[in-house]
Amino acid sequence: MSRAMEKYLREGLAGTAFCPGCGHGILLGAVLRAVDRIGVKKEDLLFVSGIGCAAWIPSPNIGTDTLHTLHGRAVAFATGAKLANPKLKTIVVSGDGDLTSIGGNHLIHAARRNVDLTVICADNQIYGMTGGQTASTTPVGAKSSTDPGGNIYRPFDLCKLVSAAGARYTARYPVTQPRKLIDAIEKALRQDGFTFVDAVSPCPTQFGRRNQMANLKKLYSTVESLCVTPAEAEAMDEETRLHHFAIGEFVA
Ligand SMILES: Cc1ncc(C[n+]2csc(CCOP(=O)(O)OP(=O)(O)O)c2C)c(N)n1
Ligand SMILES: [Mg+2]
């Protein structure tokens, strides 16, 4: 973390909860840089998370008000906070499992109702913190603790899901492309209404280890090699598309 972002960190932190090589640390840096660009006062910022490794991205690390809530309920808490104090810039940062499996209904209905929130999904395609179970984002064929033979179900395309539900801005970028990721988060923060960024964030411990990518270089270069433009993704057959990350803006 560069010193310029230290002003956003809570005092007295003794390191983060993340494993070596976890993408969530890069995402923390990206979120802070985007927040810095929009110039909202710290006392007008609220970060909300659910439960999971990703939920530790804002809390306790960011030294603004943070709500570390219940599993799957980050968007519901954020909605309540925003209603109670509409001047709060309310930003949800949580995991793919938290936001889109147990919390899936809150996510789509907040998008449908155009609640004025920015939701950033730390998408590692797995339930990281609880031992690597299959999530609604796990690719077909990927191994997990609950699918040692490989996941058989197609994953959600989160940007398509949230776009269809009515989000005003949606984008996907991996932490391997931090500049584009920061730009997307900044745009999401500047846009009124419900906005969503799917931040692909590799998990070496629970995903990489089980899928022949324990080596960080291999894990990160594989993620990068799977990134395609939305047009390239649409030109693929469904089977191939499901194994790639369409990156870019979907609603802008
Ligand atoms: C009601 C409830 N059900 C299940 C759990 C267990 N649990 C905690 S975090 C989590 C999944 C976290 O996955 P994700 O949101 O993707 O975060 P990650 O750890 O991968 O960053 C689960 C199943 C819980 N805490 N509460
Ligand atoms: Mg996860």
Side-chain angles (χ1 to χ4, degrees):
M1 180 72 61
S2 89
R3 302 220 80 128
M5 293 300 116
E6 269 184 10
K7 61 186 177 206
Y8 292 106
L9 296 181
R10 196 172 296 281
E11 280 177 31
L13 289 172
T16 69
F18 309 131
C19 302
C22 172
H24 291 358
I26 306 172
L27 179 56
L28 169 61
V31 170
L32 293 182
R33 284 169 177 81
V35 162
D36 194 51
R37 288 187 194 170
I38 62 164
V40 174
K41 285 193 288 200
K42 267 170 85 174
E43 50 272 34
D44 291 333
L45 283 168
L46 171 68
F47 285 89
V48 187
S49 61
I51 298 293
C53 300
W56 294 94
I57 294 173
S59 154
N61 299 310
I62 304 181
T64 63
D65 281 339
T66 55
L67 280 175
H68 200 145
T69 69
L70 302 175
H71 191 36
R73 304 297 179 256
V75 171
F77 275 85
T79 303
K82 185 74 191 178
L83 284 173
N85 185 355
K87 86 171 196 319
L88 280 181
K89 186 76 191 160
T90 306
I91 306 167
V92 175
V93 185
S94 215
D96 49 322
D98 188 77
L99 290 168
T100 78
S101 295
I102 188 170
N105 251 3
H106 293 295
L107 182 74
I108 57 173
H109 289 283
R112 178 177 66 82
R113 296 183 183 124
N114 194 27
V115 183
D116 188 19
L117 303 173
T118 292
V119 177
I120 300 163
C121 180
D123 186 353
N124 55 9
Q125 293 100 50
I126 199 116
Y127 296 175
M129 197 181 80
T130 43
Q133 295 87 353
T134 295
S136 52
T137 45
T138 305
V140 176
K143 292 181 179 152
S144 71
S145 62
T146 45
D147 280 307
N151 171 39
I152 59 170
Y153 299 111
R154 66 202 290 274
F156 275 140
D157 180 327
L158 296 181
C159 286
K160 280 190 181 167
L161 179 74
V162 175
S163 301
R168 298 302 198 262
Y169 177 85
T170 60
R172 176 183 299 111
Y173 288 103
V175 299
T176 49
Q177 299 186 24
R179 287 176 195 279
K180 288 182 180 160
L181 180 59
I182 297 165
D183 288 348
I185 297 172
E186 180 190 0
K187 274 178 120 171
L189 293 172
R190 289 192 189 282
Q191 168 72 48
D192 289 335
F194 188 92
T195 59
F196 180 81
V197 178
D198 185 18
V200 179
S201 174
C203 170
T205 305
Q206 300 294 0
F207 191 93
R209 204 163 46 93
R210 286 196 176 83
N211 289 285
Q212 292 74 51
M213 291 180 287
N215 176 291
L216 286 183
K217 190 168 172 225
K218 187 164 180 207
L219 177 64
Y220 276 74
S221 56
T222 302
V223 166
E224 190 54 29
S225 71
L226 295 176
C227 291
V228 294
T229 65
E232 286 168 338
E234 287 310 316
M236 291 171 171
D237 61 75
E238 193 189 18
E239 172 94 34
T240 314
R241 184 166 62 241
L242 287 175
H243 287 94
H244 287 79
F245 299 110
I247 61 160
E249 295 179 320
F250 299 87
V251 175

